[in-house]
Amino acid sequence: MPNNPPGGLGHVPVAVYSCATTSTALGESEEHGRYYADARHWHVAGAWSDADPALPLAERPGWQAVTAALSAGMIRGVVVSGPAHVASDAAQFAALGVLLRDRGGFVADASNGTPGRRTPGQARRRRDLADAASGWFGQTDTHDEGTS
């Protein structure tokens, strides 16, 4: 099975992992990670979380489940909504990336590169622009003035 890079597109099974002290923060983090994975057409095979960031990463039950899924071949990568969920600094996050890569996987930081959410008016305007650029001029009255 090829190891697709974190920026690549494809049907790659991934886990979404988060660690935060409140259920609200955990929910938002999971949603952010799922959105990031969906934007890349990655299949979210599972979402795990831990509620105690003070615990070392290796001792967290949710992280242990993620590494077990990676070892079993259920997932190819891990999506986190920010490096702070799994590391205390950039060097530690990079070391984790190397460790997962050595096991045939990857870690993806969803804090950058997630497309912003668009309103229906913005999506319609983008579609109209794409149609115009391709030479397709369907109905000319489809774009409402106040919705962009």
Side-chain angles (χ1 to χ4, degrees):
M1 182 178 225
N3 186 8
N4 290 357
L9 295 174
H11 296 286
V12 178
V14 296
V16 173
Y17 176 78
S18 56
C19 185
T21 56
T22 67
S23 60
T24 302
L26 287 172
E28 289 173 356
S29 177
E30 180 182 337
E31 180 182 351
H32 191 78
R34 285 181 180 276
Y35 187 74
Y36 183 90
D38 287 345
R40 284 150 185 78
H41 304 287
W42 293 344
H43 168 71
V44 177
W48 288 274
S49 62
D50 289 303
D52 188 2
L55 274 177
L57 186 61
E59 295 177 19
R60 297 178 190 169
W63 182 254
Q64 291 172 354
V66 167
T67 57
L70 182 65
S71 295
M74 290 175 48
I75 61 169
R76 299 287 292 157
V78 182
V79 177
V80 295
S81 66
H85 290 270
V86 292
S88 58
D89 59 24
Q92 195 177 41
F93 186 75
L96 179 64
V98 170
L99 176 68
L100 291 178
R101 189 172 52 242
D102 289 345
R103 293 182 179 180
F106 64 88
V107 62
D109 173 12
S111 63
N112 297 330
T114 302
R117 296 181 186 237
R118 294 187 176 92
T119 65
Q122 290 169 325
R124 184 173 40 252
R125 184 167 190 275
R126 290 176 64 86
R127 187 175 55 247
D128 290 347
L129 288 172
D131 287 347
S134 69
W136 173 257
F137 296 104
Q139 293 179 322
T140 58
D141 299 311
T142 59
H143 181 66
D144 296 332
E145 272 298 316
T147 60
S148 53

